[in-house]
Amino acid sequence: MTQQEFAPPVGEWYYPSEDIVNNAHVPDYEALYREAMADVESFWARRADSLEWYQRWDSVLDSSNAPFFKWFVGGKTNIALNALDRHVKTWRRNKLALIWEGEPGDRRTYSYWKLYREVNKFSNVLKSLGVRKGDRVTIYMGRIPELVMAMLACAKIGAVHSVVYGGFSEQALADRIEDAQSRVIITTDGAWLRGNIVRLKDVVDEAVRRSPVVESVIVVKRTGHEVKMEQGRDYWFHDLVALPIASPICETEVMDAEDPLFILYTSGTTGKPKGILHTHGGYSVYTSTTLQWVFDLKDDDRWWCAADPGWITGHSYIVYSPLILGATSFLYEGAPNFPYPNRWWRMVEEYGITILYTAPTAIRGLMRFGDAWPNRHDLSSLRLLGSVGEPINPEAWRWFHKVIGKERCPIMDTWWQTETGGFMITPMPSVGLKPGSATRPFPGIDVDVVDEHGQSVAAGVDGNLVIKTPWPGMLRTIYGDPERFVAQYWTAYKAQGWYLTGDSARKDEDGYIWIIGRNDDVIKVSGYRLGTAEVESGLVSHPAVAESAVIGVPDEVRGNVIYAYCILRAGFQGNDTLRDQLKEHIRHEVGPIAVPSKIEFVDVLPKTRSGKIMRRVLRARAMGQPEGDLSTLEE
Ligand code: PRX
């Protein structure tokens, strides 16, 4: 199986049952899509009206400085007003907001009231360390409730969080701290993963050594192992939260709709990660609308988005939108197959999960263990399933549909990006499904597949996926680098004013969209987004490596794995010991997710005459395929 190679199954359709369609928030996708497109601004204004505002906006969309679009201009809000404050004034006060299970089996639950109070305390702790509106706070934690609280606490006081996924290591963390200029870090002593402790605090210590802008480190105790605490810099959260200053009452900061909510770093074509910036107003409207309609979220649902809060999926669909909708979310700390491959299915049964949203790599990983593990459990509570992060191969789709969903649960294959804030191309429960296709654009979203001149391509032909009009959840800029924002997303189709997604795709005869994959130097490994340049700069930071090139090669479970080619400096021997050292080096510098599965030592790399590495040639060689046109290859 490769992402690019699976052919769309012809004529394979799955229709949701009448019961599902008739009871859905959106029983007629086509009608809603037409209605939205007839007047996009009033459509989004109506959606924004379903939320609370301190002050209503003056204009829905300001395009005067495109592509720096502004939404709900003049509106005053705070995402925490909608995610917490408004619920504690209603019956939802005593509804469960969060159910959490730790990997070792410990459990906690939070009602909206309890979460609200905990977040207020956390906000006061941050204030006591001098965090103010507009300050950036870096969060580096495992999947525990305090991570959710830390994010909300920042939002509440108007600070801008930058969550760095716990699978990144020293240098990656240091780069992100440096770029955001965070003076405060929130972390944990460690995180549980497959029965082991991931020593997050040690990574923070090293990152802070490399990025001296940090003044304070707040440490939440999770694993309880011995960690070094530096006096005057490091504070245990439990000590701070016990102080009188950490009262459970905290005024929510009134924010402009366009004030920044968070920065989330993601990989692009250069080694420097891009700080994608999202704002309070439009993001609240966009994420809550998409979640409510696509996953048909209702008050009696138990929603499980099995992503990590450290990625956009977790930001939008674990933390913010479920809380805005007043839903009950489930969060699990550890590995899906720990201690046994039935861990997830046991939890679905026990907690009565009704909607499970995960990634193709997780589905393929669990599928490998066979049907007996899920079949031991009562999965009848499930009513909808979802997939995100990379194209789902039809085989995994069918398994998920049959073995997990018992052919009852439609699968929402949601295509979107860190940059888009929320789902862009996705089914809803009233849309017929084809395994492997993300189906149709969300109402209000205008997408197309075009050639390099901007002409729509015919059905079945590959092209660039573009978005033609702005939407409220769109990124506002790349933090500190507006030129890169314009160059990266808005220059390829400048004349038309379209957003370039970086994905290639094709449409079929029915107007369904099939995502093929990235057409830039970004690799999806287990659904995680990595830049080839990040791994390459990690490799050349090792004294033995003079030059390197990495490519993504298709893999059964992980979608892609990384192959690295290295030219060594004089005096170094390319052997297995060095291979292991380089892998260890990458594990430390970039993170475990970036470790190449194969490292090959070479004397030269295929380059164009202008010096650009021809990854296409490397990929063809790695896969034993024809190398194609080599006319631009340097001598
Ligand atoms: O290539 C697309 C792929 O993931 C990229 C975005 O990655 P990231 O910003 O990390 O966000 C992932 C979670 C939203 C896209 O450019 N992608 C995401 N979802 C899908 C997908 N490819 C195919 N089908 C999807 N459902």
Side-chain angles (χ1 to χ4, degrees):
M1 193 279 309
T2 80
Q3 283 187 9
Q4 284 85 351
E5 280 168 0
F6 63 75
V10 179
E12 187 179 355
W13 282 93
Y14 292 80
Y15 293 100
S17 71
E18 249 174 57
D19 191 42
I20 288 178
V21 176
N22 293 339
N23 288 306
H25 281 295
V26 180
D28 185 348
Y29 161 80
E30 300 290 346
L32 184 67
Y33 189 82
R34 277 195 304 274
E35 179 198 315
M37 298 321 270
D39 184 350
V40 174
E41 286 187 37
S42 2
F43 168 74
W44 288 119
R46 285 195 297 282
R47 296 310 305 156
D49 268 328
S50 70
L51 298 182
E52 229 173 85
W53 298 78
Y54 295 115
Q55 185 184 304
R56 206 169 181 270
W57 54 93
D58 305 316
S59 70
V60 178
L61 172 64
D62 175 358
S63 306
S64 60
N65 189 27
F68 297 93
F69 295 97
K70 291 185 179 148
W71 285 87
F72 308 109
V73 184
K76 302 269 185 210
T77 188
N78 184 312
I79 202 162
L81 165 70
N82 282 293
L84 294 170
D85 302 356
R86 67 168 176 164
H87 299 311
V88 299
K89 290 182 259 161
T90 71
W91 66 270
R92 286 201 185 87
R93 174 188 174 110
N94 291 330
K95 180 179 171 178
L96 286 186
L98 192 62
I99 303 172
W100 175 78
E101 188 170 302
E103 196 188 74
D106 46 338
R107 293 149 194 237
R108 283 192 254 159
T109 54
Y110 294 85
S111 64
Y112 272 89
W113 177 240
K114 183 165 161 185
L115 187 63
Y116 167 79
R117 284 169 57 89
E118 295 300 324
V119 169
N120 286 347
K121 290 190 221 167
F122 215 129
S123 302
N124 286 322
V125 164
L126 293 177
K127 280 188 184 170
S128 76
L129 289 178
V131 179
R132 297 286 172 266
K133 180 174 176 173
D135 289 351
R136 278 82 53 215
V137 174
T138 295
I139 302 178
Y140 182 69
M141 301 169 85
R143 276 192 293 264
I144 55 174
E146 287 84 352
L147 167 52
V148 177
M149 290 172 205
M151 292 167 70
L152 290 161
C154 288
K156 179 136 200 168
I157 63 172
V160 181
H161 58 69
S162 160
V163 181
V164 178
Y165 172 58
F168 280 118
S169 302
E170 287 88 338
Q171 193 55 44
L173 177 59
D175 290 343
R176 286 156 176 76
I177 293 171
E178 195 65 29
D179 189 80
Q181 291 287 299
S182 303
R183 287 181 294 114
V184 174
I185 313 282
I186 309 171
T187 188
T188 51
D189 49 356
W192 287 110
L193 190 66
R194 285 187 195 87
N196 300 314
I197 291 174
V198 185
R199 301 176 65 96
L200 296 179
K201 174 64 166 58
D202 293 359
V203 177
V204 169
D205 287 342
E206 178 54 27
V208 172
R209 204 183 57 75
R210 298 181 193 187
S211 176
V213 58
V214 177
E215 291 164 12
S216 317
V217 179
I218 303 176
V219 188
V220 174
K221 189 174 247 172
R222 166 63 187 138
T223 44
H225 68 284
E226 191 76 30
V227 294
K228 206 176 90 230
M229 296 291 280
E230 191 171 307
Q231 263 241 298
R233 188 197 71 184
D234 300 349
Y235 305 89
W236 284 110
F237 176 71
H238 57 256
D239 289 338
L240 297 176
V241 82
L243 299 173
I245 182 110
S247 120
I249 298 164
C250 178
E251 204 59 44
T252 302
E253 190 76 32
V254 176
M255 306 296 281
D256 279 333
E258 281 293 307
D259 274 337
L261 167 63
F262 65 81
I263 303 167
L264 183 56
Y265 287 90
T266 188
S267 302
T269 36
T270 70
K272 193 173 179 299
K274 302 183 284 192
I276 304 300
L277 188 104
H278 285 285
T279 57
H280 277 262
Y283 180 81
S284 299
V285 174
Y286 196 70
T287 55
S288 57
T289 301
T290 47
L291 179 62
Q292 184 173 42
W293 288 353
V294 171
F295 284 101
D296 193 38
L297 219 64
K298 309 251 172 60
D299 255 318
D300 54 0
D301 273 312
R302 288 237 165 139
W303 161 249
W304 182 10
C305 166
D308 192 285
W311 296 89
I312 192 66
T313 310
H315 278 55
S316 298
Y317 298 110
I318 295 176
V319 181
Y320 288 116
S321 67
L323 293 173
I324 294 173
L325 296 174
T328 302
S329 273
F330 175 67
L331 182 68
Y332 164 60
E333 179 182 34
N337 55 347
F338 187 84
Y340 301 108
N342 68 329
R343 181 66 184 257
W344 272 23
W345 317 127
R346 195 271 287 155
M347 294 190 299
V348 166
E349 173 175 2
E350 187 172 330
Y351 295 104
I353 303 298
T354 58
I355 312 171
L356 172 63
Y357 180 39
T358 181
T361 186
I363 298 166
R364 290 190 295 259
L366 290 166
M367 186 169 108
R368 242 181 356 163
F369 296 112
D371 301 1
W373 291 102
N375 286 346
R376 273 169 50 183
H377 294 276
D378 175 2
L379 305 179
S380 61
S381 58
L382 289 171
R383 67 182 189 93
L384 286 172
L385 300 171
S387 171
V388 62
E390 57 178 322
I392 179 165
N393 50 309
E395 193 196 348
W397 196 101
R398 291 185 203 110
W399 184 83
F400 199 31
H401 187 253
K402 182 158 181 247
V403 179
I404 306 306
K406 312 294 178 202
E407 298 179 336
R408 248 183 325 103
C409 309
I411 299 176
M412 304 298 125
D413 177 358
T414 61
W415 177 90
W416 58 295
Q417 308 176 301
T418 308
E419 291 87 342
T420 70
F423 313 147
M424 298 294 283
I425 302 174
T426 171
M428 291 188 186
S430 48
V431 171
L433 306 173
K434 304 187 190 191
S437 169
T439 75
R440 312 290 303 278
F442 191 80
I445 302 300
D446 190 3
V447 303
D448 202 359
V449 181
V450 300
D451 65 17
E452 70 223 39
H453 309 295
Q455 290 295 326
S456 282
V457 298
V461 178
D462 291 8
N464 291 325
L465 183 67
V466 295
I467 303 165
K468 294 185 161 178
T469 52
W471 65 102
M474 65 199 306
L475 79 163
R476 297 303 194 266
T477 190
I478 292 177
Y479 184 71
D481 204 347
E483 291 87 22
R484 192 174 175 197
F485 167 70
V486 175
Q488 182 87 49
Y489 304 107
W490 303 98
T491 302
Y493 296 102
K494 188 166 181 228
Q496 298 90 339
W498 298 340
Y499 168 89
L500 179 77
T501 64
D503 276 14
S504 56
R506 80 178 75 102
K507 281 179 295 191
D508 69 14
E509 310 283 331
D510 301 308
Y512 274 49
I513 293 168
W514 299 77
I515 307 294
I516 300 166
R518 301 290 308 184
N519 49 18
D520 54 9
D521 297 330
V522 169
I523 311 177
K524 282 281 183 152
V525 179
S526 298
Y528 297 132
R529 181 165 160 183
L530 280 173
T532 49
E534 280 171 276
V535 187
E536 288 162 3
S537 50
L539 284 165
V540 296
S541 73
H542 189 280
V545 181
E547 205 180 334
S548 88
V550 316
I551 55 166
V553 172
D555 178 81
E556 284 259 338
V557 173
R558 288 185 281 173
N560 293 285
V561 290
I562 294 176
Y563 276 20
Y565 297 85
C566 297
I567 301 178
L568 295 181
R569 286 182 197 285
F572 287 92
Q573 282 294 322
N575 53 27
D576 281 345
T577 317
L578 183 58
R579 273 193 191 94
D580 291 344
Q581 279 172 11
L582 289 176
K583 286 184 183 178
E584 197 47 35
H585 180 71
I586 290 292
R587 184 182 305 279
H588 264 282
E589 291 300 301
V590 191
I593 51 169
V595 174
S597 22
K598 187 167 158 189
I599 298 178
E600 214 173 287
F601 300 111
V602 292
D603 296 327
V604 282
L605 288 166
K607 284 187 189 163
T608 62
R609 284 182 203 104
S610 59
K612 203 170 155 16
I613 290 171
M614 294 179 79
R615 286 176 221 285
R616 174 177 64 77
V617 175
L618 287 174
R619 218 171 287 127
R621 282 183 197 167
M623 293 165 67
Q625 289 169 353
E627 290 174 15
D629 178 11
L630 297 178
S631 59
T632 54
L633 195 69
E634 173 193 50
E635 288 307 301

